[in-house]
Amino acid sequence: MGGDGSAADLVFVNGAVYTVDAARSWAQAVAVRGGRIAAVGPDAAIRPSIGAHTDVIDLAGRMLVPGFQDAHVHPVYAGIDMLQCDLHDLVTKEDYLRAIGEYAEANPDAPWILGGGWSMEVFPRGCPAKEDLDAVVPDRPVFLPNRDGHSAWVNSKALELAGTTATTPDPADGRIERGQDGEPFGTMHEGAQRFMTDLIAPSTADELYRGLLKGQEYLHALGITGWQDAIVQGPGDTYGDSLATYLAAAEKGELTARVVGALWWDRLRGLEQIDELVALRERGTAGRFAATSVKIMQDGVCENFTGAVLEPYLDAYGAPTENRGISFVDPEVLNEAVARLDALGFQVHFHALAERAVREALDAVEAARRANGMTDTRPHLAHIQVVHPDDLPRFRRLGAVANAQPLWAAHESQMDDLTIPFLGDPRWTWQYPFGSLVRHGATLAMGSDWSVSSPNPLEEIHVAVNRVMPPDYPYDADRTKVFLPDERLDLPTAIAGFTMGSAYVNHLERETGSIEVGKRADLAVLDRNLFAHPAEEIAAARCVTTFVEGEPVFTASDA
Ligand SMILES: [Zn+2]
């Protein structure tokens, strides 16, 4: 309860207000003044703050939650994808080829056909072939990353321009998929994508800016009011200067979300880049944006066997191979880099997907703690698909946040056909151990990795709670089996992951993440109280209105 008696700017009444405060308490009504929460309580306590100029929103029993925050997302590139050849919502090879052909026809002057978002499960072994693309685009190069960005589908023209042939060796951090004849097959994994990306002009400042605004609009429509951008680059980098994009949007007042940017660690270089990161950080704070994190990608993904594992992957017959995946950064360099970044006050945001990468990232945090003591940098490990049981208690002990992408924790064909058989027993049961991490006291943040998968927090929370794909999600999934049921989270824990947990990672938990007096009025109205419906229906809920500092940034057309 609070408020000094003067009229509020905005009041919500008659609702199911889930505050996500420490006691997980409920209220009916909220008053907002000057962009901040002025009072929280029962209707009777809040109604007196309604004045002649107060906007009053009757929630009519709907749910008010703190604005969701996405701890690992790529809204600028995802927004650009939405503006290019976007395959995310399609489900068959035929659909993909039709969309690609139509896009090429509609964009006759585009030197490259770009975009992406295909799904590995659509193709045998997860690898699409160049011939299919050649049939729809024979004369111009095509480069289309899949939805996780770890592999790209290319046509013969792209291979020809890149000079990639049967005799081209694989780069150290990637692999050219090859046919029986040794010729490139049409799928380029990880660093092998550079053969093409080196030839493609980075997105222009204008494309990046339009991408950011498109991405922001989409995220606001899902109730998201803040995020951590998991790859922010400076001038001259592969994907274009998205740091400048955020700064421009912040300075123009068009950045309505609160964003922490994770500056990209160039794994082809070493410690000498730290000075440049410091300079980028100095340039990189404006309005609601701060570039205070550094993204280190330590491994790839399991589906193409570039995720770093402790014991080798199995082959299709269950026999061990020689392949233990890739550690992109040498562990000794990683320890040194993380200790130095931590000493400089940088947060490190790891891509740590398979169990060796998770261990190497935790080892690096441990090295930093040893060197610098327990700083408040809040390092976090994103993806954490496979975690060795011995490493579960280390998250809490080291103050490393577990940054979960819960939508992937379900039986769908990428999991069942491309992952479980190759991880083998018991390792496949160590996947997405969110329940175990919570039982071991880890702080949990959550994110989507959009455009890899849907950024809808309600779909993510649905899977975190059920460990089953939402009914309408466009994945070929087995919805009859719960994926590792002991790892399910309860609804309060999952909501907290997408609110307070992610606010903590962004060092914003004093300002946002819960509905408490004094905090910013970053809020989302959902069309129903999630707690009053079965868990199997969480993903059916919709965001109705989104507010940042009490100002609406999204209103559903039927609201
Ligand atoms: Zn990512």
Side-chain angles (χ1 to χ4, degrees):
M1 234 113 332
D4 60 14
S6 64
D9 303 323
L10 171 68
V11 160
F12 299 88
V13 294
N14 192 23
V17 178
Y18 189 58
T19 64
V20 198
D21 66 3
R24 302 286 180 262
S25 58
W26 290 85
Q28 272 181 304
V30 173
V32 175
R33 195 168 46 235
R36 291 188 183 266
I37 294 164
V40 183
D43 276 354
I46 302 301
R47 282 191 187 276
S49 59
I50 298 174
H53 305 288
T54 305
D55 283 328
V56 180
I57 295 177
D58 181 356
L59 291 168
R62 289 176 301 188
M63 190 171 188
L64 185 71
V65 293
F68 294 119
Q69 302 191 35
D70 190 315
H72 182 117
V73 63
H74 306 280
V76 180
Y77 311 124
I80 292 173
D81 274 1
M82 289 176 90
L83 301 166
Q84 291 181 331
C85 181
D86 183 10
L87 306 177
H88 283 90
D89 293 330
L90 306 175
V91 285
T92 66
K93 185 172 92 171
E94 290 65 40
D95 291 343
Y96 292 160
L97 293 172
R98 188 173 341 102
I100 294 161
E102 286 170 8
Y103 180 85
E105 210 176 294
N107 293 276
D109 300 325
W112 283 77
I113 303 303
L114 304 172
W118 51 275
S119 207
M120 295 178 88
E121 64 185 36
V122 171
F123 301 97
R125 299 174 301 109
C127 295
K130 60 190 177 194
E131 287 81 8
D132 287 322
L133 281 181
D134 293 345
V136 291
V137 188
D139 50 340
R140 278 182 288 167
V142 180
F143 177 80
L144 298 169
N146 69 348
R147 47 178 78 217
D148 67 23
H150 292 271
S151 303
W153 187 8
V154 299
N155 67 350
S156 294
K157 191 75 190 173
L159 289 162
E160 181 196 317
L161 289 176
T164 313
T165 66
T167 57
T168 308
D170 289 340
D173 62 344
R175 195 161 56 76
I176 303 169
E177 189 70 30
R178 298 172 197 270
Q180 304 282 17
D181 52 2
E183 290 290 338
F185 185 76
T187 313
M188 309 294 274
H189 302 293
E190 304 295 344
Q193 297 179 52
R194 275 197 308 277
F195 289 116
M196 283 79 203
T197 54
D198 282 351
L199 305 178
I200 300 168
S203 299
T204 63
D206 179 57
E207 285 165 337
L208 290 162
Y209 199 82
R210 286 188 297 130
L212 171 59
L213 294 189
K214 182 87 188 162
Q216 175 175 262
E217 178 189 345
Y218 191 59
L219 294 177
H220 281 335
L222 298 169
I224 294 169
T225 54
W227 61 78
Q228 183 159 143
D229 188 315
I231 302 181
V232 170
Q233 293 193 317
D237 283 323
T238 324
Y239 299 111
D241 188 351
S242 56
L243 179 63
T245 308
Y246 275 110
L247 294 174
E251 275 151 18
K252 277 195 208 169
E254 293 192 295
L255 185 69
T256 40
R258 247 170 268 290
V259 182
V260 167
L263 298 166
W264 179 246
W265 178 268
D266 181 353
R267 62 188 185 237
L268 303 177
R269 298 166 65 209
L271 302 168
E272 73 279 7
Q273 67 190 292
I274 290 177
D275 291 344
E276 291 161 39
L277 294 169
V278 170
L280 288 175
R281 180 175 63 179
E282 273 165 21
R283 178 159 80 90
T285 300
R288 296 190 176 103
F289 178 77
T292 49
S293 191
V294 172
K295 167 76 174 298
I296 301 184
M297 189 158 159
Q298 185 54 11
D299 68 340
V301 295
C302 291
E303 293 87 345
N304 65 10
F305 312 116
T306 56
V309 287
L310 290 165
E311 298 300 327
Y313 288 102
L314 306 182
D315 66 17
Y317 305 98
T321 64
E322 300 275 281
N323 185 8
R324 286 186 162 83
I326 305 176
S327 291
F328 286 133
V329 182
D330 174 81
E332 271 179 38
V333 177
L334 186 70
N335 289 354
E336 169 103 41
V338 173
R340 286 179 50 185
L341 290 167
D342 181 70
L344 288 163
F346 277 111
Q347 172 181 78
V348 177
H349 177 161
F350 297 92
H351 168 120
L353 185 133
E355 77 274 15
R356 193 179 79 234
V358 170
R359 181 164 293 175
E360 288 165 353
L362 291 169
D363 289 348
V365 174
E366 194 168 325
R369 297 311 194 198
R370 220 180 296 121
N372 310 323
M374 204 70 175
T375 61
D376 192 33
T377 54
R378 308 178 188 182
H380 52 125
L381 280 67
H383 308 331
I384 47 171
Q385 176 168 351
V386 189
V387 182
H388 190 285
D390 292 351
D391 290 321
L392 291 167
R394 299 179 73 201
F395 284 80
R396 180 196 164 110
R397 206 162 63 225
L398 297 169
V401 178
N403 184 340
Q405 282 65 63
L407 196 77
W408 308 342
H411 283 293
E412 36 81 28
S413 52
Q414 190 158 315
M415 170 60 71
D416 292 345
D417 303 338
L418 300 177
T419 306
I420 289 174
F422 302 96
L423 290 177
D425 227 4
R427 180 166 49 186
W428 78 269
T429 66
W430 303 345
Q431 290 187 90
Y432 304 117
F434 308 145
S436 296
L437 283 162
V438 168
R439 288 188 287 276
H440 281 92
T443 299
L444 205 60
M446 287 191 181
S448 65
D449 207 7
W450 184 49
S451 61
V452 174
S453 39
S454 161
N456 183 348
L458 295 166
E459 290 177 330
E460 311 271 346
I461 290 169
H462 181 103
V463 182
V465 171
N466 294 290
R467 306 275 287 197
V468 173
M469 270 289 157
D472 299 328
Y473 201 76
Y475 268 12
D476 177 17
D478 181 347
R479 293 179 173 81
T480 65
K481 271 191 302 183
V482 175
F483 182 69
L484 303 170
D486 288 349
E487 303 300 345
R488 285 177 292 197
L489 298 178
D490 59 29
L491 183 55
T493 304
I495 293 175
F498 260 108
T499 52
M500 273 308 274
S502 297
Y504 177 81
V505 150
N506 277 351
H507 288 85
L508 285 170
E509 82 283 2
R510 288 191 185 85
E511 287 282 295
T512 65
S514 64
I515 303 177
E516 293 180 88
V517 172
K519 286 196 172 181
R520 306 262 188 197
D522 295 359
L523 304 163
V525 179
L526 309 182
D527 69 351
R528 71 195 71 180
N529 178 355
L530 300 177
F531 289 84
H533 294 262
E536 296 74 31
E537 294 174 14
I538 294 169
R542 294 281 169 270
C543 174
V544 179
T545 332
T546 308
F547 297 86
V548 170
E549 291 172 42
E551 297 293 327
V553 292
F554 165 74
T555 305
S557 52
D558 54 354

